[in-house]
Amino acid sequence: DTGVSQDPRHKITKRGQNVTFRCDPISEHNRLYWYRQTLGQGPEFLTYFQNEAQLEKSRLLSDRFSAERPKGSFSTLEIQRTEQGDSAMYLCASSSDRGFIYEQYFGPGTRLTVT
Amino acid sequence: LAKTTQPISMDSYEGQEVNITCSHNNIATNDYITWYQQFPSQGPRFIIQGYKTKVTNEVASLFIPADRKSSTLSLPRVSLSDTAVYYCLVASSPYSGGGADGLTFGKGTHLIIQP
């Protein structure tokens, strides 16, 4: 068990550019979640997948945000036409059917800075 | 969605037992109570989950009274390394079509342990 990994750990981009983040969940976990966290706030849920199916995406912040999980393995979160308000930590988590309902394992996050 | 209320911050000393209480007056029959811990620049870490009465694991205990309108996370003999933000989440399973409201973290309780 190598844990949840995220890449890159830090991303600096200019306003208007597109960015894509990758998350590799724990290998036997079938559920994957994306969150955004800003300073002083708790993680804000964005979307989640069960295997390759995206079961909840209404919380994505705008139509500039999209996520995929091809083949039910790794996932990507893309933000198009970034804005300064998108600067935040983006967290990925995964969980298994065999664990507690909300026993999620979080990755280290990708810190996005939009200049 | 059962909204939660936690103290914003708490202080204690090494070796003491710390109890953090979360109020959730509108908790529903199918809701579970989950606690997470988060250190700076890291993703949250699952601590414990319960439905009623008392749950104990190797790091904490969770006390839930009969009316389930509150819960208390108990950390025995804290150390400096327990300084972190603690989040209480209350909701039913999102995997049965009920949406993902349970994946909403509040602002949490910032616990500071002093020598």
Side-chain angles (χ1 to χ4, degrees):
Chain A
D1 179 357
T2 58
V4 177
S5 62
Q6 293 187 244
D7 183 69
R9 294 292 307 277
H10 304 273
K11 177 71 176 179
I12 300 174
T13 191
K14 293 184 177 181
R15 187 177 55 185
Q17 297 296 305
N18 298 342
V19 294
T20 300
F21 308 140
R22 176 179 172 124
C23 171
D24 286 90
I26 294 173
S27 58
E28 64 268 25
H29 285 183
N30 61 334
R31 294 173 179 146
L32 187 147
Y33 317 78
W34 284 99
Y35 293 83
R36 182 180 79 160
Q37 187 171 25
T38 54
L39 193 62
Q41 304 295 316
E44 178 182 14
F45 171 75
L46 298 178
T47 188
Y48 87 94
F49 294 83
Q50 180 156 324
N51 300 311
E52 64 273 13
Q54 190 173 11
L55 298 186
E56 175 63 68
K57 56 183 178 181
S58 65
R59 305 292 185 90
L60 286 168
L61 301 167
S62 76
D63 58 7
R64 297 185 296 106
F65 288 72
S66 63
E68 294 183 345
R69 192 184 184 196
K71 302 179 182 178
S73 55
F74 71 93
S75 176
T76 58
L77 177 70
E78 181 182 18
I79 308 173
Q80 296 182 329
R81 305 181 302 283
T82 54
E83 303 173 356
Q84 288 188 321
D86 297 332
S87 294
M89 176 74 83
Y90 289 85
L91 294 163
C92 174
S94 68
S95 70
S96 165
D97 286 342
R98 292 188 295 276
F100 290 102
I101 291 174
Y102 288 110
E103 186 177 5
Q104 299 174 55
Y105 291 79
F106 282 80
T110 294
R111 183 166 295 283
L112 173 65
T113 302
V114 181
T115 62
Chain B
L1 170 62
K3 293 184 178 179
T4 61
T5 303
Q6 301 176 236
I8 292 177
S9 65
M10 294 180 64
D11 294 318
S12 188
Y13 294 90
E14 283 190 294
Q16 298 296 304
E17 178 184 78
V18 171
N19 297 310
I20 306 174
T21 297
C22 180
S23 297
H24 27 82
N25 292 320
N26 297 322
I27 191 168
T29 303
N30 295 331
D31 285 344
Y32 287 79
I33 300 158
T34 311
W35 285 81
Y36 277 84
Q37 175 193 56
Q38 186 176 27
F39 298 112
S41 300
Q42 295 185 25
R45 181 177 73 99
F46 174 88
I47 301 174
I48 197 166
Q49 183 178 96
Y51 182 79
K52 62 181 179 180
T53 62
K54 177 184 175 181
V55 180
T56 297
N57 62 22
E58 63 276 10
V59 298
S61 295
L62 178 59
F63 297 92
I64 306 168
D67 66 6
R68 304 202 324 125
K69 292 183 182 296
S70 66
S71 58
T72 299
L73 175 71
S74 181
L75 304 172
R77 296 179 300 280
V78 294
S79 64
L80 296 176
S81 63
D82 292 315
T83 294
V85 179
Y86 292 82
Y87 297 98
C88 164
L89 279 70
V90 174
S92 56
S93 170
Y95 312 123
S96 57
D101 286 341
L103 300 174
T104 300
F105 290 72
K107 292 187 177 182
T109 297
H110 188 191
L111 175 65
I112 300 172
I113 305 302
Q114 301 181 43

